[in-house]
Amino acid sequence: MYEVSVKTHFSAAHHLRGYRGSCEEHHGHNWEVEVFVSGETLDKTGILVDFRDLKKILGRLLDELDHKDLNKVKVFRKHNPTSENIARHLYQRLSRKLTGMGRRVSRVRVCE
């Protein structure tokens, strides 16, 4: 099994509905995102996934979140924009684009 990752970040504001504490107020974070892709086979050049392609796909997804009020982003209108829900959103979107050819998104890590 092979696993590679890319790490990047984005900045955005949010608040948590139904949460008692300081996070119920509108505030911002610099989130760190790390995406892991794993697989059993490499291509003829020894690559599981081209980092350039992975970074481009992740960059497009993060452009939809960067410097936004996450509560106003469609996917988070019904679900709180927690780190966990951001990770789930990115995992689902990335999986649709990257799964196949002997590889899959194995995990997405989001930290504030």
Side-chain angles (χ1 to χ4, degrees), residues 38-93:
S38 62
E40 297 287 336
T41 58
L42 306 177
D43 71 10
K44 65 183 178 184
T45 58
I47 295 174
L48 176 67
V49 60
D50 189 322
F51 280 111
R52 188 176 35 188
D53 295 338
L54 180 54
K55 289 176 183 178
K56 187 185 304 183
I57 293 166
L58 180 58
R60 286 186 194 135
L61 294 176
L62 293 183
D63 283 347
E64 297 172 6
L65 306 178
D66 191 39
H67 286 82
K68 303 282 193 305
D69 178 347
L70 297 180
N71 294 81
K72 294 180 180 178
V73 175
K74 185 177 181 178
V75 68
F76 299 117
R77 289 185 191 152
K78 292 183 180 180
H79 302 285
N80 270 327
T82 61
S83 294
E84 295 86 352
N85 281 333
I86 293 167
R88 177 176 38 197
H89 168 68
L90 293 172
Y91 177 85
Q92 290 171 342
R93 297 276 308 273

Side-chain angles (χ1 to χ4, degrees), residues 4-5 7 11 13 17 44 60 73 79 81 90 96 100-101 106-107 109-110 112:
V4 295
S5 71
K7 190 184 298 186
S11 301
R17 299 173 293 269
K44 65 183 178 184
R60 286 186 194 135
V73 175
H79 302 285
L90 293 172
R96 287 195 291 263
M101 297 187 302
S106 50
R107 57 190 165 125
R109 186 176 69 79
V110 175
E112 295 179 353

